[in-house]
């Protein structure tokens, strides 16, 4: 398979990594008055898409929240886009200033900024409703149900290949994002949004198949899967064009840092607004962290206390609120510098594909990032309120998966479907069904069954939180 080799130990040049090729090229790339780069054109393809707009009604942390303040997947993605662009500008300037790479040009600095801006917008575009819990619910549904499902008297576990079964049981929003933007966003043809290869490679956080996942290897690229068996051809075309192979694209590290930075700081702010974390609790935990550091580069607790006192002096109505929200901005600035240092200080190993960690690893910001993530887990995600919501979400997703999989198994087969199944199939977007028909043509029986199961996850992942809830209620006659 072309491009399937691991690039480890061999540095790839930026001019290759920043490939502006697409699956479908314009005939001869006719020169027009349009002065935008190919990566700037990607931006406009993304923001005009229905898939991007649907992020406004998908969970970030708090599902089905009515507050205008609490973040959604859309606002989170906009923040990741902004932080990713800032990081790219910082890193690009550092490469130029300290001459880390003779092949890196000022134009490339602009290009990586545009690519990261776009990557931030689509990095979560494949996620199902109800956030990361939605991913978990879909995985667990397949783990429970694949062993008992059959098609025309044959057990699916006997029909499907090991990779097909692993794809379903390790269902992953990152792999779904690649699938959506390359195949499911059916506008002109079967090539989806037809984005540049450099951008597509950047959003592949885990360049391994479902059979190559190794959560205990210590190598971040093997933590989850990055592409489905159904999409491996496009994966190999992308990574062959950029030269990244099965190593991480260097810009993926920047995207991941922007994502981690955005959600770990935002989760604290949203949790504070919702009352899960109080000002005294935040200050106490930051103080404990500060005391463990002999010479803290960022006096997190001291900074928070100083902002509180400034709020009191300014006479603001809620100095705690003033302090927390301004502290988030200050912490983000510090962590941007840490991630910039993480990339530039590990430049050679990132470029040759051997770097195994994230950009905060070994920096002054590592322990702060760890604490913020741990606080959110303890004080938000492990609370009764969130657990109650997740039980409700699980009921919705399990019901939808039950009915949709039952309906889809005999779709497009010789067996006559039940009347209710035909009606349920009518709910699924024609775009998704057209994509299924195109990609199932000439495939084996096992592959077509596998693609039908992906048709279900395609449809479910295209749902907003509100749509999933409403569809569940309508199918159960709940008015």
């Amino acid at each position: 398979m072309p491009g399937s080799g691991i690039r480890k130990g061999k540095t790839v040049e930026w001019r290759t990594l920043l490939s502006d090729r697409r699956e479908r090229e314009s005939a001869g790339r006719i020169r027009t008055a349009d002065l935008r780069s190919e990566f700037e054109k990607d931006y406009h393809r993304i923001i005009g898409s229905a898939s991007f707009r649907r992020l406004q009604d998908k969970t970030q942390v708090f599902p089905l929240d009515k507050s205008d303040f609490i973040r959604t997947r859309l606002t989170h993605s906009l923040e990741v886009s902004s932080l990713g662009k800032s990081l790219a500008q910082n890193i690009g300037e550092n490469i130029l200033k300290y001459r880390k790479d003779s092949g890196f040009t000022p134009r490339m600095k602009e290009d990586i900024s545009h690519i990261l801006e776009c990557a931030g917008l689509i990095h979560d575009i494949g996620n199902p409703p109800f956030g990361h819990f939605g991913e978990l619910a879909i995985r667990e549904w397949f783990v429970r149900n694949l062993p008992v499902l059959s098609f025309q008297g044959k057990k699916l576990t006997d029909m499907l290949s090991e990779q097909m079964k692993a794809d379903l049981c390790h269902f992953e929003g990152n792999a779904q994002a690649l699938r959506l933007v390359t195949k499911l966003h059916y506008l002109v043809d079967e090539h989806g949004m037809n984005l540049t290869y450099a951008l597509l490679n950047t959003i592949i956080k885990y360049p391994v198949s479902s059979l190559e996942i190794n959560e205990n290897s210590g190598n971040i690229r093997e933590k989850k899967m990055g592409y489905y068996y159904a999409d491996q051809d496009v994966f190999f075309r992308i990574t062959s064009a950029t030269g990244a192979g099965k190593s991480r694209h260097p810009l993926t590290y920047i995207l991941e840092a922007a994502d981690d930075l955005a959600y770990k700081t935002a989760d604290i702010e949203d949790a504070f607004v919702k009352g899960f974390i109080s000002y005294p609790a935040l200050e106490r935990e930051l103080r404990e962290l500060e005391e463990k550091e002999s010479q803290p580069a960022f006096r997190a607790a001291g900074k928070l206390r100083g902002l509180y006192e400034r709020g009191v002096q300014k006479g603001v109505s809620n100095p705690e609120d003033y302090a927390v929200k301004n502290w988030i901005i200050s912490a983000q600035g510090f962590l941007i510098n840490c991630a910039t240092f993480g990339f530039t200080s590990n430049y050679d190993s990132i470029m040759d594909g051997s770097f195994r960690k994230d950009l905060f690893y070994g920096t002054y910001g590592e322990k702060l990032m760890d604490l913020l993530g741990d606080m959110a887990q303890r004080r938000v995600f492990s609370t009764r309120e969130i657990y109650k919501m997740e039980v409700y979400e699980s009921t919705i997703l399990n019901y939808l998966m039950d009915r949709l999989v039952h309906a889809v198994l005999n779709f497009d087969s010789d067996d006559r479907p039940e009347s209710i199944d035909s009606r349920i199939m009518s709910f699924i977007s024609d775009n998704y069904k057209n994509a299924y028909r195109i990609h199932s043509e000439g495939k084996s029986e096992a592959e077509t069954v596998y693609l039908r199961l992906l048709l279900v996850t395609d449809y479910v992942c295209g749902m907003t939180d509100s749509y999933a809830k409403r569809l569940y209620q309508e199918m159960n006659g709940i008015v």
Side-chain angles (χ1 to χ4, degrees):
M1 190 72 70
S4 60
I6 295 179
R7 177 175 57 84
K8 187 173 181 180
K10 181 181 178 182
T11 301
V12 177
E13 296 181 2
W14 280 108
R15 62 182 178 83
T16 306
L17 289 166
L18 301 182
S19 171
D20 63 359
R21 287 173 50 197
R22 305 176 188 274
E23 283 283 272
R24 172 181 34 79
E25 295 284 12
S26 300
R29 286 205 181 176
I30 300 169
R31 295 181 67 85
T32 67
D34 190 345
L35 300 179
R36 296 174 299 167
S37 72
E38 293 300 313
F39 307 120
E40 290 174 293
K41 292 175 185 176
D42 281 342
Y43 181 87
H44 294 279
R45 292 174 186 230
I46 293 164
I47 62 171
S49 70
S51 299
F52 179 67
R53 289 194 298 276
R54 279 195 286 267
L55 293 173
Q56 68 186 310
D57 188 17
K58 287 195 175 187
T59 295
Q60 177 58 22
V61 176
F62 300 100
L64 301 169
D65 194 90
K66 302 303 181 184
S67 168
D68 291 336
F69 175 84
I70 299 301
R71 288 168 172 85
T72 64
R73 282 284 172 191
L74 179 64
T75 53
H76 166 70
S77 297
L78 291 169
E79 289 173 343
V80 175
S81 174
S82 176
L83 290 168
K85 184 175 183 180
S86 296
L87 269 171
Q89 289 171 330
N90 282 9
I91 289 168
E93 185 60 32
N94 185 288
I95 296 171
L96 292 170
K97 182 177 180 180
Y98 296 103
R99 299 192 176 116
K100 286 187 169 291
D101 195 319
S102 60
F104 191 83
T105 66
R107 173 58 186 268
M108 289 176 177
K109 175 190 167 184
E110 291 183 27
D111 287 343
I112 67 171
S113 297
H114 291 308
I115 292 168
L116 265 298
E117 184 177 31
C118 292
L121 296 179
I122 60 173
H123 79 287
D124 274 349
I125 206 166
N127 280 41
F130 312 128
H132 290 300
F133 181 77
E135 290 179 282
L136 178 62
I138 292 172
R139 280 184 217 126
E140 292 183 344
W141 190 93
F142 279 114
V143 170
R144 287 194 312 273
N145 288 281
L146 264 186
V148 298
L149 288 172
S150 62
F151 173 71
Q152 295 182 344
K154 290 171 278 192
K155 294 182 65 175
L156 294 196
T157 48
D158 294 333
M159 290 182 65
L160 303 181
S161 71
E162 291 304 312
Q163 186 173 350
M164 292 174 189
K165 289 182 285 189
D167 283 357
L168 299 168
C169 295
H170 291 90
F171 169 81
E172 175 58 44
N174 289 286
Q176 188 67 26
L178 178 66
R179 178 169 174 76
L180 189 153
V181 298
T182 58
K183 291 183 176 178
L184 302 182
H185 182 78
Y186 197 96
L187 186 61
V188 176
D189 56 25
E190 69 273 21
H191 298 306
M193 293 185 189
N194 198 34
L195 303 171
T196 57
Y197 283 155
L199 172 56
L200 293 173
N201 206 162
T202 297
I203 68 168
I204 301 172
K205 292 176 69 174
Y206 311 102
V208 297
S209 74
S210 57
L211 296 180
E212 299 168 308
I213 299 169
N214 187 347
E215 296 178 15
N216 301 315
S217 71
N219 192 334
I220 201 165
R221 65 178 281 279
E222 300 170 354
K223 188 177 174 183
K224 301 176 183 178
M225 72 168 171
Y227 61 93
Y228 298 122
Y229 167 79
D231 307 318
Q232 64 181 1
D233 287 348
V234 71
F235 168 82
F236 288 124
R237 283 196 296 273
I238 292 165
T239 56
S240 177
T242 63
K246 296 201 75 172
S247 294
R248 267 192 164 189
H249 193 290
L251 298 187
T252 306
Y253 292 96
I254 304 176
L255 173 62
E256 182 176 57
D259 185 19
D260 290 349
L261 198 167
Y263 84 77
K264 287 191 176 181
T265 53
D267 285 358
I268 298 300
E269 184 177 6
D270 286 357
F272 170 78
V273 170
K274 294 283 288 182
F276 286 86
I277 296 176
S278 66
Y279 172 88
L282 177 60
E283 184 179 348
R284 181 174 63 253
E285 297 218 26
L286 293 177
R287 183 75 62 194
E288 291 171 359
L289 174 66
E290 206 171 279
E291 289 170 354
K292 293 176 185 176
E293 301 286 322
S294 56
Q295 291 182 314
F298 179 69
R299 297 187 179 277
K303 176 72 72 174
L304 181 65
R305 169 54 60 174
L307 287 165
Y308 174 83
E309 292 171 353
R310 184 196 297 175
V312 172
Q313 291 170 0
K314 291 168 71 73
V316 300
S317 59
N318 189 337
E320 292 185 350
D321 184 77
Y322 173 89
V324 172
K325 291 177 180 177
N326 280 280
W327 181 85
I328 293 294
I329 296 170
S330 179
Q332 287 178 342
F334 165 68
L335 292 167
I336 284 174
N337 290 334
C338 291
T340 300
F341 177 78
F343 190 96
T344 54
S345 62
N346 293 289
Y347 186 79
D348 291 341
S349 58
I350 288 173
M351 294 301 291
D352 71 18
S354 62
F355 190 57
R356 299 163 62 89
K357 305 294 183 180
D358 63 62
L359 296 188
F360 295 103
Y361 179 77
T363 71
Y364 288 121
E366 181 182 11
K367 288 186 171 56
L368 177 59
M369 288 287 285
D370 289 344
L371 174 63
L372 297 179
D374 182 60
M375 282 187 69
Q377 182 60 42
R378 285 184 284 109
R379 296 178 177 272
V380 181
F381 298 115
S382 299
T383 60
R384 180 177 296 181
E385 182 176 337
I386 295 297
Y387 283 164
K388 286 172 67 176
M389 286 302 303
E390 288 176 346
V391 169
Y392 178 42
E393 294 157 11
S394 176
T395 300
I396 293 172
L397 288 174
N398 284 330
Y399 177 83
L400 293 178
M401 290 293 294
D402 286 344
R403 300 307 299 268
L404 288 165
V405 169
H406 187 275
V408 85
L409 276 176
N410 288 320
F411 172 66
D412 198 37
S413 75
D414 296 332
D415 287 359
R416 183 180 179 85
E418 296 178 16
S419 58
I420 193 66
D421 288 342
S422 297
R423 286 159 175 75
I424 289 174
M425 285 305 301
S426 72
F427 301 163
I428 299 179
S429 162
D430 287 339
N431 283 353
Y432 295 157
K433 287 187 280 196
N434 286 338
Y436 160 78
R437 289 189 178 99
I438 289 168
H439 297 293
S440 64
E441 189 174 348
K443 294 293 194 298
S444 68
E445 182 181 62
E447 287 177 299
T448 56
V449 169
Y450 162 73
L451 289 173
R452 284 177 207 145
L453 294 173
L454 288 187
L455 177 57
V456 172
T457 54
D458 291 341
Y459 177 44
V460 171
C461 288
M463 296 179 183
T464 63
D465 292 10
S466 296
Y467 179 82
K469 176 184 177 182
R470 186 169 65 251
L471 182 62
Y472 167 78
Q473 292 174 331
E474 290 171 348
M475 292 175 73
N476 281 280
I478 301 171
V479 180

